Amino acid sequence: MSTELKIVDLEQNLDVEEIFNNRYVNPKKLNDFLVKNYKENLTLLGYSVCKKPIFKLSIGVGKKNILLWTQMHGNETTGTLSVLDLLKFLKNENKLAKEIFEKFTLDIVLMLNPDGSEIWTRRNIMNIDVNRDFLAEASPEIRILKNLVKEKIYDLAFNLHDQRTIYGVGTTNHSATLSFLSPSVSEDREITEIRKQSMGIIASIYKEITKILPNKIARYSDEFYPRSVGDNFQKLGIPTLLFEGGHYPNDYYRQKTRKYFTLALITALHSALKDKSTWKDNYKDYLEIPENSVSFYDIIYRNVALSEDVKNTVDIAIQYSEFIFPEEEDISFVAKIEEIGDLSFLYGHKEINAEGRRFYSENNKYPKINMEADFQLDEWVIVNGNKLESIV
Ligand SMILES: [Zn+2]
């Protein structure tokens, strides 16, 4: 019998690695931290295009081997931050932490794409999407990851990502704070025995985390991506779980998401403590998880008038772009107009009813897709997407 999981207690007592309290993770800061605190656990695997080191951090003494990697997409740091919190959890004098340490060997690649991470881009420095490079192997980063599975047989793999704020849970007005996927291994999305194992573990995560994060967990599309890592690892016989950290209301720096993400990691490990033959037991419950949908914008202004002559109004949707500016410790958000028209079937994380106020802008007679969201709605002044409250 493995240790009981008490998710509410875990949530209340979970510590974060406070040295990393921004959403942005500087590669050098991360390396210095790992070398300082986990020197004996590190193996140098190779280098990125810009010659940044990429390490494997190994924790635990157990027989089950689990591979985890984060930030193959540079601007997706929640996995990295959560793994740092998981490492902190594993240092605890706690029964579950001890059992995880004794039963597993966790091989963790933190920040597979450090060049992209430094400048906050999804792709690597050569503009290759590392998660579409499994077959071509044009990036050194994918070769590093693939070499790992040539050296060792893994029982399980965790592929850790972030998703944009556009995702919601089914047709509801809840954002998808966490989404999961058991990737397909073929065009026909066949449910193989290996897939059943990762589906079963995801179903266990859903069952537990939904107790503390109701309505905000979804299942990512299982369309087959023949060039992606997860699909290919699962095809090679390694049960693979894709984690996607997403938006939680008013949490653009993803510190709440980070917490739920860490708890999902711990829950997944707890579930994998059981005998491997039982992992697939509840795989059918996976199919009951609501699907991820593209249903959100960051901000929607409803009922905006575009001209004096036309009575009918439109909605204007605004989406943030993320940047890391030189000398800044964390990312900045620049709001741009993303859509104009009838958005009645879509949601905004923030919605403002303009009640027929008319659009004005210095440079554009009408709102334009991709223009920065600085404009007026009659007496309202909108700066970087938000209404200035001081203007009456
Ligand atoms: Zn990603």
Side-chain angles (χ1 to χ4, degrees):
M1 268 294 276
S2 56
T3 316
E4 197 191 338
L5 185 80
K6 294 176 183 152
I7 196 68
V8 176
D9 289 357
L10 268 178
E11 185 195 12
Q12 281 164 358
N13 295 311
L14 189 73
D15 268 344
V16 296
E17 188 54 79
E18 277 165 357
I19 299 162
F20 293 90
N21 55 11
N22 294 321
R23 184 163 161 206
Y24 179 72
V25 180
N26 180 292
K28 185 169 183 312
K29 183 179 169 184
L30 179 66
N31 273 345
D32 291 349
F33 173 84
L34 295 178
V35 170
K36 188 177 167 212
N37 295 284
Y38 293 96
K39 201 169 182 192
E40 293 82 56
N41 306 85
L42 293 182
T43 311
L44 179 66
L45 300 174
Y47 294 90
S48 66
V49 178
C50 296
K51 303 285 177 263
K52 290 189 183 67
I54 297 169
F55 292 106
K56 175 180 77 174
L57 190 161
S58 297
I59 284 278
V61 294
K63 283 190 186 145
K64 274 184 189 152
N65 293 311
I66 303 187
L67 176 63
L68 303 90
W69 69 96
T70 78
Q71 270 184 285
M72 69 191 311
H73 293 141
N75 58 354
E76 300 177 6
T77 51
T78 304
T80 301
L81 296 165
S82 291
V83 166
L84 291 170
D85 297 345
L86 172 70
L87 291 171
K88 190 163 189 174
F89 170 78
L90 292 177
K91 284 183 175 173
N92 279 350
E93 285 300 311
N94 154 332
K95 257 175 95 181
L96 178 57
K98 270 191 183 159
E99 199 179 355
I100 289 171
F101 191 87
E102 280 162 15
K103 297 278 171 62
F104 297 125
T105 298
L106 307 178
D107 286 344
I108 306 166
V109 183
L110 277 154
M111 200 182 272
L112 181 64
N113 172 12
D115 300 342
S117 305
E118 182 163 46
I119 55 173
W120 198 255
T121 59
R122 173 182 174 88
R123 293 163 184 257
N124 82 346
I125 201 74
M126 300 190 298
N127 289 309
I128 294 170
D129 184 335
V130 181
N131 201 24
R132 298 288 181 274
D133 193 33
F134 192 89
L135 303 177
E137 294 188 14
S139 64
E141 295 87 3
I142 196 71
R143 292 196 292 270
I144 285 171
L145 187 63
K146 285 181 74 173
N147 281 341
L148 284 174
V149 302
K150 286 175 192 158
E151 287 164 7
K152 200 174 193 177
I153 295 169
Y154 285 99
D155 297 286
L156 195 58
F158 294 169
N159 180 6
L160 308 182
H161 290 256
D162 270 296
Q163 63 188 0
R164 287 178 293 157
T165 57
I166 58 174
Y167 291 103
V169 177
T171 55
T172 72
N173 64 347
H174 288 281
S175 55
T177 303
L178 291 176
S179 297
F180 297 94
L181 170 68
S182 164
S184 288
V185 299
S186 56
E187 287 293 346
D188 61 7
R189 309 181 189 194
E190 188 194 341
I191 298 176
T192 59
E193 289 304 303
I194 295 294
R195 250 195 113 188
K196 280 180 191 170
Q197 295 181 350
S198 56
M199 287 163 95
I201 293 176
I202 292 171
S204 306
I205 300 172
Y206 182 75
K207 191 176 156 212
E208 285 302 322
I209 303 300
T210 207
K211 292 176 191 165
I212 52 172
L213 182 68
N215 308 315
K216 289 190 164 54
I217 307 176
R219 170 168 57 102
Y220 212 83
S221 156
D222 68 350
E223 182 189 342
F224 178 54
Y225 288 97
R227 300 166 297 152
S228 292
V229 179
D231 307 51
N232 279 289
F233 275 5
Q234 193 133 272
K235 205 167 154 182
L236 287 170
I238 310 165
T240 303
L241 283 70
L242 177 84
F243 287 59
E244 297 274 359
H247 186 69
Y248 184 89
N250 302 314
D251 182 41
Y252 277 91
Y253 289 96
R254 300 221 164 158
Q255 296 301 313
K256 287 222 163 66
T257 302
R258 165 186 183 168
K259 188 170 188 175
Y260 295 119
F261 198 112
T262 311
L263 293 165
L265 283 171
I266 295 171
T267 309
L269 292 172
H270 174 263
S271 170
L273 283 169
K274 289 183 291 183
D275 192 85
K276 217 174 157 178
S277 64
T278 68
W279 287 0
K280 64 176 182 195
D281 281 359
N282 50 344
Y283 83 92
K284 283 184 181 156
D285 296 345
Y286 171 86
L287 301 166
E288 303 299 316
I289 302 171
E291 285 186 274
N292 233 29
S293 57
V294 176
S295 50
F296 273 92
Y297 292 103
D298 287 318
I299 304 167
I300 298 180
Y301 284 90
R302 303 277 186 197
N303 307 312
V304 176
L306 296 185
S307 128
E308 257 176 22
D309 320 324
V310 181
K311 271 194 179 160
N312 293 359
T313 58
V314 298
D315 303 330
I316 296 180
I318 290 166
Q319 197 66 24
Y320 289 119
S321 300
E322 300 162 357
F323 298 93
I324 184 74
F325 292 119
E327 312 297 324
E328 296 277 319
E329 298 247 312
D330 214 341
I331 55 169
S332 300
F333 297 89
V334 176
K336 291 181 181 169
I337 293 183
E338 180 90 0
E339 191 53 278
I340 304 144
D342 176 4
L343 304 176
S344 50
F345 293 94
L346 293 145
Y347 302 107
H349 294 301
K350 190 171 177 182
E351 298 208 3
I352 301 124
N353 187 353
E355 294 171 327
R357 285 178 176 78
R358 192 178 152 195
F359 176 92
Y360 294 95
S361 139
E362 252 175 53
N363 304 317
N364 299 292
K365 188 175 177 200
Y366 300 113
K368 261 188 175 168
I369 304 290
N370 239 352
M371 73 174 259
E372 289 193 6
D374 301 319
F375 52 86
Q376 272 187 258
L377 298 172
D378 281 336
E379 79 281 15
W380 290 0
V381 178
I382 315 298
V383 177
N384 200 31
N386 286 288
K387 191 177 138 205
L388 290 189
E389 294 298 339
S390 54
I391 307 288
V392 181

